[in-house]
Amino acid sequence: MPRKSPLVIGHRGAPGYRPEHSRSSYELALAMGVDAVEPDIVATQDGVLVVRHENEISGTTDVAEHPEFADRRTTKRVDGQALTGWFTEDFTWAELTTLRSRERLPEVRLTSASFDGSQAILRLSDVLDIVRAGSIEHGREIGVVLEIKHATYFASIGLDLAPLIERDLREAGWADGELPLIIECFESTVLGHLRARGIAASYVYLIEASGRPYDLLVAQGKQALSYKATITPRGLDGLVGKVDGISVNKRMLLAKGNTIVDDAHARGLKVFTWTARPENAFLAAEFRGAGGRSEYGDYEAEWAAIARTGIDGVFVDHPDLGVGFFRN
């Protein structure tokens, strides 16, 4: 019996072609036929949820070129890691509207970098509006896969993300199950908080290839269950009834002999993976081709290996390639 095609999710829009999380990135992903798009959310000083890959924004905006914000540059520890730069929580939304988006990987994605400086930062509410309008324009239901970033860190500085997320989803009419919504995070605690608030969504636990989730590390120290232990049969048993699925680093699915998808499916859990990208810079070594980091390797062979595992969803940076390959 043929397997069902996985959901094809535009990872931060279509960042293979446009700066990630920009309006044109999302609109292009919708036009290219994705089933859903994935905004990452962080918070401003005044509690506005903005769409950025990280709360440190020097790599994805022109903030360093704004002399009025030079004194905001600082060093912080986020999820235990020291970072130096400019952070969304040190700005109001009004201040962030003066910034413009930039390509995060200009050495790999030259075409996308040509759009630098042309687009403003978006709020979560903006992306929800874009997707709703895009669903109407393209005549199909398109979902949102909302990724929560650094929930424990934000809570520690007085910005509890759960009520802010609930506020935006309810105001946009996206919290009652009428529109397709998946909420994901590398920290399971905030997923539980949102479920308790009655947000109708599928809840997906993001799993890294190594390390421990920061929320559990803060609460339990070295006794915290590692990500690797979470995807063992015993670890998956502990997720049943708490989340609807997991989303794993693709390296874990490419490891020989892994049974992650089958083990999860046996427990009623869906499995997503990230991120399918065609460039040599991101392919596993055996699939890289001739040329530099920005050249396409044998991505179809890597993606075929991923598809054979029977995944339920895949995050892609190039939605046209992802839709063309993964959709039966």
Side-chain angles (χ1 to χ4, degrees):
M1 187 169 116
R3 298 187 184 212
K4 185 180 176 185
S5 299
L7 286 176
V8 178
I9 303 157
H11 183 236
R12 312 172 200 162
Y17 304 114
R18 302 288 188 274
E20 64 185 36
H21 293 313
S22 64
R23 178 175 290 274
S24 68
S25 184
Y26 285 110
E27 290 178 342
L28 183 59
L30 303 182
M32 286 179 165
V34 295
D35 298 300
V37 291
E38 183 231 26
D40 300 310
I41 55 116
V42 293
T44 67
Q45 187 180 83
D46 50 346
V48 175
L49 294 177
V50 294
V51 179
R52 290 286 96 186
H53 175 49
E54 297 291 343
N55 55 328
E56 199 288 291
I57 55 173
S58 61
T60 59
T61 73
D62 62 356
V63 64
E65 296 177 6
H66 286 251
E68 69 273 24
F69 298 139
D71 62 348
R72 308 279 178 95
R73 189 173 187 269
T74 187
T75 298
K76 301 187 180 194
R77 290 195 75 81
V78 180
D79 295 359
Q81 180 181 0
L83 296 172
T84 299
W86 288 263
F87 297 81
T88 57
E89 65 268 22
D90 295 331
F91 293 80
T92 64
W93 166 241
E95 290 172 329
L96 288 183
T97 63
T98 67
L99 305 183
R100 292 296 176 266
S101 295
R102 279 192 166 171
E103 169 54 45
R104 188 170 58 90
L105 303 165
E107 71 286 356
V108 176
R109 293 174 171 168
L110 294 172
T111 301
S112 177
S114 70
F115 292 86
D116 284 359
S118 64
Q119 299 175 80
I121 292 177
L122 299 175
R123 297 165 295 182
L124 172 59
S125 58
D126 297 322
V127 175
L128 296 175
D129 289 344
I130 289 168
V131 175
R132 187 190 289 272
S135 295
I136 295 169
E137 178 185 353
H138 299 293
R140 68 180 195 280
E141 190 173 64
I142 305 171
V144 169
V145 181
L146 171 60
E147 182 178 346
I148 305 165
K149 305 301 292 260
H150 311 303
T152 300
Y153 165 78
F154 275 111
S156 75
I157 60 171
L159 284 166
D160 186 357
L161 296 184
L164 303 180
I165 295 167
E166 180 183 11
R167 174 200 66 198
D168 283 8
L169 291 176
R170 291 203 186 282
E171 287 180 359
W174 219 288
D176 57 8
E178 292 297 313
L179 297 167
L181 175 66
I182 297 169
I183 301 178
E184 61 178 8
C185 189
F186 286 102
E187 303 174 66
S188 58
T189 304
V190 70
L191 298 180
H193 290 166
L194 284 166
R195 190 188 283 276
R197 287 174 171 268
I199 303 300
S202 292
Y203 289 88
V204 171
Y205 192 13
L206 283 163
I207 305 289
E208 254 295 7
S210 61
R212 289 177 168 84
Y214 190 65
D215 57 336
L216 299 186
L217 191 62
V218 168
Q220 303 168 15
K222 292 185 178 178
Q223 300 301 310
L225 195 67
S226 69
Y227 284 124
K228 206 169 272 190
T230 303
I231 58 161
T232 63
R234 183 175 177 182
L236 292 170
D237 285 342
L239 298 182
V240 175
K242 296 179 180 176
V243 296
D244 302 293
I246 57 173
S247 185
V248 301
N249 187 315
K250 70 174 184 179
R251 292 197 308 246
M252 303 166 88
L253 296 184
L254 293 170
K256 291 191 186 307
N258 85 85
T259 57
I260 296 169
V261 176
D262 288 342
D263 290 343
H265 284 175
R267 290 157 177 81
L269 298 169
K270 295 195 173 190
V271 183
F272 294 180
T273 193
W274 44 276
T275 304
R277 295 162 165 148
E279 298 107 333
N280 284 325
F282 308 111
L283 293 172
E286 63 266 37
F287 301 113
R288 292 174 197 153
R293 287 165 51 81
S294 62
E295 298 299 317
Y296 288 7
D298 190 5
Y299 69 90
E300 291 186 328
E302 182 186 89
W303 294 7
I306 292 170
R308 283 194 296 271
T309 67
I311 51 163
D312 302 289
V314 58
F315 293 85
V316 300
D317 280 7
H318 299 70
D320 55 339
L321 300 182
V323 168
F325 184 88
F326 287 102
R327 192 168 290 157
N328 292 335

